[in-house]
Amino acid sequence: MFKHFAAPRSPSSSTAGRILSSPLFSSKLPFDSGSESRVGGFIQYISDMVAGLKTVILLSFVLAVGFLLVILSCALFANWLPLLVALTFVIAPLPNAIFAHCGGADDFSSSEYEGSAAVDLGRFLTSIIVVTGFALPLVLAHAEVIRQTAALMSIVGGGLVYGTILAYSQVFKQEQDEF
């Protein structure tokens, strides 16, 4: 009659026991293993996560303002050529991202800034694209294809877009493993 009822579980097999034995509450925390400093380490861990979230929110707001300026420079003056600036600033980090993995520091290089020819080529191509993003609206404004106000709005918006991409890549850069 009572064989359908299970014996009470031990605290370690209960849900609360599994939660308390999880890595978040165990002594193998990613931040500190001292029992008296677990709360302080946990608070530091949470504050680091919140700081990252605030950074993402700020960067997304700046990116939205940059795209808004570029789109307004096109829409207000009924000429969609300044939209090419947004394209150039969006594709500008791609050569660095592609060629960054082609070379790196080895045992014989004296500093981390010495790279291979492929890394230098990526930086060179990125600089060409960035200069194009700033110069294209100026050339179009000089040729009177677009208005000077549209060129200024496009340059400022493109700079905000590219600056946001750079800031995001620098803030959230992950350290590479040596293995």
Side-chain angles (χ1 to χ4, degrees):
M1 174 174 169
F2 293 105
K3 66 181 178 179
H4 296 291
F5 294 106
R9 291 192 250 174
S10 65
S12 63
S13 66
S14 69
T15 305
R18 285 193 304 261
I19 291 172
L20 291 176
S21 65
S22 71
L24 187 62
F25 291 102
S26 70
S27 62
K28 297 178 182 177
L29 293 172
F31 33 82
D32 198 0
S33 62
S35 61
E36 64 276 348
S37 63
R38 277 190 205 167
V39 174
F42 182 71
I43 291 172
Q44 180 65 37
Y45 180 72
I46 295 297
S47 68
D48 289 344
M49 284 182 17
V50 170
L53 183 63
K54 286 181 181 178
T55 304
V56 168
I57 291 171
L58 175 70
L59 289 175
S60 64
F61 178 73
V62 172
L63 183 70
V65 169
F67 277 121
L68 177 71
L69 282 173
V70 172
I71 291 172
L72 281 177
S73 71
C74 298
L76 290 178
F77 303 104
N79 190 349
W80 292 93
L81 284 175
L83 196 59
L84 293 174
V85 173
L87 179 69
T88 60
F89 283 117
V90 167
I91 65 170
L94 290 180
N96 272 344
I98 292 170
F99 290 113
H101 301 291
C102 292
D106 55 1
D107 294 336
F108 302 109
S109 64
S110 61
S111 72
E112 66 182 53
Y113 296 108
E114 290 183 17
S116 66
V119 174
D120 290 338
L121 177 66
R123 291 177 183 157
F124 179 72
L125 291 175
T126 297
S127 66
I128 288 174
I129 296 170
V130 169
V131 169
T132 300
F134 283 114
L136 182 64
L138 294 175
V139 170
L140 291 174
H142 181 72
E144 295 180 358
V145 175
I146 64 173
R147 293 187 183 178
Q148 291 180 356
T149 310
L152 180 67
M153 289 173 66
S154 179
I155 289 172
V156 171
L160 286 174
V161 168
Y162 185 65
T164 302
I165 293 170
L166 281 180
Y168 182 83
S169 64
Q170 290 298 318
V171 168
F172 295 106
K173 183 186 289 188
Q174 295 181 358
E175 296 296 325
Q176 295 179 354
D177 295 333
E178 293 189 22
F179 298 105

